[in-house]
Amino acid sequence: NAGVTQTPKFRVLKTGQSMTLLCAQDMNHEYMYWYRQDPGMGLRLIHYSVGEGTTAKGEVPDGYNVSRLKKQNFLLGLESAAPSQTSVYFCASSTQGHNEQFFGPGTRLTVL
Amino acid sequence: GQQVMQIPQYQHVQEGEDFTTYCNSSTTLSNIQWYKQRPGGHPVFLIQLVKSGEVKKQKRLTFQFGEAKKNSSLHITATQTTDVGTYFCAGTPSEEYGNKLVFGAGTILRVKS
């Protein structure tokens, strides 16, 4: 099993550009999450999903959109990137909301 | 909003010394989880505590969940260079049980050999 995978690993964008980050898990988990990690601020939840076809806002959802069309995939979109979105993005999944979360390797995004 | 505070932010110890990080919540938590993130890596689950006053051990690591379920600690005995990384606590607020974890900012541990 690959666990949780993320693509791409690195990306540099110019302000105003758009992009989609892809997260895939092969563990048949219901719950999936997108976090961003910034120095000194830990992991902050952007959006999450409790099952296929569902999404919900987390702590810092502004400027991001998500979709969960298939159970194994959770996409994070930036419609118009801003320098404040420079961060490391982690996807995670779990069987239930209060259970152990499995994290992907992360995507390092720089917005110039 | 719900906050989980973690102290210290950073600690540098001599190999063989002990290390402790503390996690405090403004509200009662239904559970607490601990994760470790190696430099350049991703968070990896260490343990989950659910019961008031619970203590669990993993080799040199000891985890505690407070009686009021608002605080927790991770203690490492006789640190080794392999313990280097950032340790995060994460809890589920009781009033929102089931859906989300709230992460602390993490404690960065550096070990001098």
Side-chain angles (χ1 to χ4, degrees):
Chain A
N1 288 349
V4 180
T5 58
Q6 292 182 233
T7 53
K9 288 185 170 54
F10 303 92
R11 186 73 185 267
V12 177
L13 290 177
K14 294 181 180 179
T15 298
Q17 288 185 318
S18 64
M19 78 163 294
T20 300
L21 282 68
L22 171 64
C23 176
Q25 53 96 4
D26 61 2
M27 296 174 284
N28 201 34
H29 286 170
E30 290 293 335
Y31 287 68
M32 295 188 74
Y33 313 83
W34 276 107
Y35 294 92
R36 59 177 289 172
Q37 184 174 33
D38 303 293
M41 301 189 75
L43 292 153
R44 292 184 292 168
L45 184 64
I46 304 171
H47 286 280
Y48 65 102
S49 168
V50 301
E52 181 179 318
T54 74
T55 63
K57 294 181 180 180
E59 180 186 355
V60 289
D62 294 343
Y64 306 95
N65 56 77
V66 288
S67 63
R68 183 102 180 266
L69 298 179
K70 293 183 179 181
K71 186 176 183 179
Q72 64 267 33
N73 296 336
F74 195 28
L75 278 64
L76 178 71
L78 287 73
E79 291 186 347
S80 180
S84 60
Q85 293 178 305
T86 293
S87 187
V88 180
Y89 291 86
F90 286 102
C91 175
S93 70
S94 66
T95 53
Q96 295 182 39
H98 54 279
N99 285 357
E100 168 187 0
Q101 292 191 10
F102 294 81
F103 284 80
T107 295
R108 185 173 296 275
L109 175 66
T110 301
V111 183
L112 303 174
Chain B
Q2 173 64 31
Q3 278 195 319
V4 174
M5 308 300 292
Q6 203 172 341
I7 55 171
Q9 184 177 2
Y10 181 85
Q11 188 147 12
H12 202 167
V13 301
Q14 189 72 39
E15 188 174 20
E17 291 181 339
D18 291 356
F19 160 77
T20 304
T21 174
Y22 300 90
C23 184
N24 295 289
S25 170
S26 55
T27 62
T28 303
L29 302 171
S30 58
N31 69 349
I32 193 89
Q33 297 181 8
W34 285 91
Y35 291 78
K36 177 183 179 181
Q37 184 178 22
R38 294 183 186 275
H42 59 276
V44 175
F45 176 83
L46 293 176
I47 207 161
Q48 175 168 272
L49 305 171
V50 178
K51 299 177 183 177
S52 170
E54 189 171 11
V55 178
K56 288 188 177 181
K57 291 189 176 183
Q58 289 180 349
K59 296 182 181 178
R60 294 178 294 104
L61 278 61
T62 302
F63 304 85
Q64 293 187 328
F65 199 9
E67 294 290 340
K69 299 184 77 172
K70 287 187 175 183
N71 55 73
S72 180
S73 65
L74 159 59
H75 179 81
I76 301 178
T77 303
T79 55
Q80 299 175 358
T81 54
T82 54
D83 295 325
V84 163
T86 302
Y87 292 85
F88 293 98
C89 63
T92 301
S94 295
E95 67 272 19
E96 300 177 59
Y97 182 76
N99 282 349
K100 294 176 287 187
L101 284 177
V102 178
F103 279 81
T107 295
I108 300 171
L109 173 64
R110 292 288 178 260
V111 179
K112 293 181 290 186
S113 60

